[in-house]
Amino acid sequence: MPLAHPRPPFDPELEAILSSAEAQLPPTLTAEMIPLLRQANPVEVPPEEALAGTGIVRRDVTIPGFEGAEIEISVLQREGRTGRGPGIYYTHGGGMVIGDRWAGLSQFLPWVIENDAVAITVEYRLAPEFPDPYPVEDAYAGLLWTSEHGEELGIDPDRLIVAGASACVGLAAGIALLARDRNGPALARQVLIYPMLDDRDATVSTVQIDGEGIWDRGSNIMGWSALLGERKGTDEVSTYAAPARATDLSGLPPAYIDCGSAEVFLDEDVA
């Protein structure tokens, strides 16, 4: 039976890339694939490769995450940088189940040079081993550390933003809500590149992107199920885990949201 609303066409150049990707990775990822996906690291860019030739230097720091467990963050800045500038707090993609703090970061590295910024990227723990609230609370712990060490990091407190790209960057929106509700760090902006915001699987675009692409409806259901378990789709899900559920958006920093035209997240991001 044809869909009432067929999906938008893929860009021809993107479609060629997707065809190549689908030969190596199925569009629908299952929970059983998670260990193999992590081993293969399909979204990881080694930091040495990501930073080569950029003029950016890296410092790794171990900090307390949720419930005091140790997590790692990395501080990135232009070599020889002095003074103060913007701060970019980055949460990586990976659908809550895969990826590391280097995934997708190359999109943001030019900002570090062009704006003389400091970027902090966090290694939050992943579902299903660490379901909600571990990922968002780990990410918030890193934001608190960043704010508390802002002076030594050379971050202008009026120019600290949260940012990320791809699936599970809803964590950035989640920690913005936490910062507001806990009177936490003041944030200047949210930069959310096709974020994963809604666990309810109730939009047109989730039905349209099914069985094709890189992260389809089945993968999305798997990711949310890993994060939330039996709570997925129920009233027991917090706005910090699924920010699309938030009804009070007052007091939040301005947000830029990129809505990919052929993304499973399209409708929830537009909303």
Side-chain angles (χ1 to χ4, degrees):
M1 183 176 179
L3 290 175
H5 302 281
R7 71 158 173 83
F10 291 131
D11 177 276
E13 293 183 12
L14 174 61
E15 191 154 27
I17 295 171
L18 289 175
S19 297
S20 175
E22 287 172 7
Q24 305 175 49
L25 191 69
T28 302
L29 308 180
T30 65
E32 292 73 24
M33 296 177 186
I34 292 173
L36 182 59
L37 290 168
R38 290 176 181 171
Q39 184 179 1
N41 286 324
V43 296
E44 177 187 354
V45 177
E48 294 78 12
E49 179 182 328
L51 300 180
T54 63
I56 294 172
V57 293
R58 154 196 177 194
R59 175 166 66 97
D60 299 330
V61 184
T62 300
I63 68 168
F66 182 48
E67 297 181 336
E70 291 185 346
I71 61 172
E72 197 164 26
I73 62 171
S74 291
V75 180
L76 308 171
Q77 61 184 22
R78 179 178 54 79
E79 188 172 10
R81 178 184 183 273
T82 59
R84 287 192 175 190
I88 304 166
Y89 184 75
Y90 177 80
T91 61
H92 71 79
M96 305 293 180
V97 296
I98 57 176
D100 63 20
R101 66 188 185 281
W102 304 105
L105 189 64
S106 59
Q107 299 179 62
F108 296 90
L109 291 179
W111 298 5
V112 175
I113 296 293
E114 294 165 8
N115 300 286
D116 202 20
V118 177
I120 296 88
T121 180
V122 58
E123 196 75 47
Y124 58 84
R125 286 169 288 177
L126 299 172
E129 295 89 342
F130 297 97
D132 177 64
Y134 283 88
V136 72
E137 290 287 359
D138 278 351
Y140 185 67
L143 178 66
L144 287 178
W145 183 92
T146 299
S147 177
E148 291 164 359
H149 293 78
E151 185 171 356
E152 70 179 74
L153 293 170
I155 294 176
D156 181 341
D158 295 325
R159 290 192 288 168
L160 175 60
I161 72 170
V162 292
S166 189
C168 89
V169 177
L171 286 176
I175 61 176
L177 287 163
L178 280 171
R180 179 197 66 180
D181 295 345
R182 295 178 180 176
N183 295 315
L187 298 173
R189 294 289 188 276
Q190 304 170 76
V191 179
L192 312 174
I193 310 301
Y194 39 94
M196 179 175 171
L197 298 173
D198 199 335
D199 65 295
R200 292 168 291 192
D201 188 39
T203 67
V204 171
S205 63
T206 65
V207 178
Q208 290 175 323
I209 311 300
D210 194 357
E212 57 187 331
I214 293 177
W215 183 266
D216 74 340
R217 180 189 188 189
S219 302
N220 205 43
I221 291 171
M222 179 274 293
W224 281 117
S225 298
L227 181 71
L228 301 172
E230 293 182 357
R231 290 183 292 141
K232 178 190 172 297
T234 73
D235 293 338
E236 297 179 25
V237 176
S238 80
T239 58
Y240 310 125
R245 290 172 171 266
T247 56
D248 177 10
L249 304 181
S250 62
L252 291 171
Y256 168 82
I257 303 181
D258 186 304
C259 309
S261 62
E263 283 280 351
V264 71
F265 309 123
L266 172 62
D267 291 337
E268 65 198 61
D269 290 350
V270 170

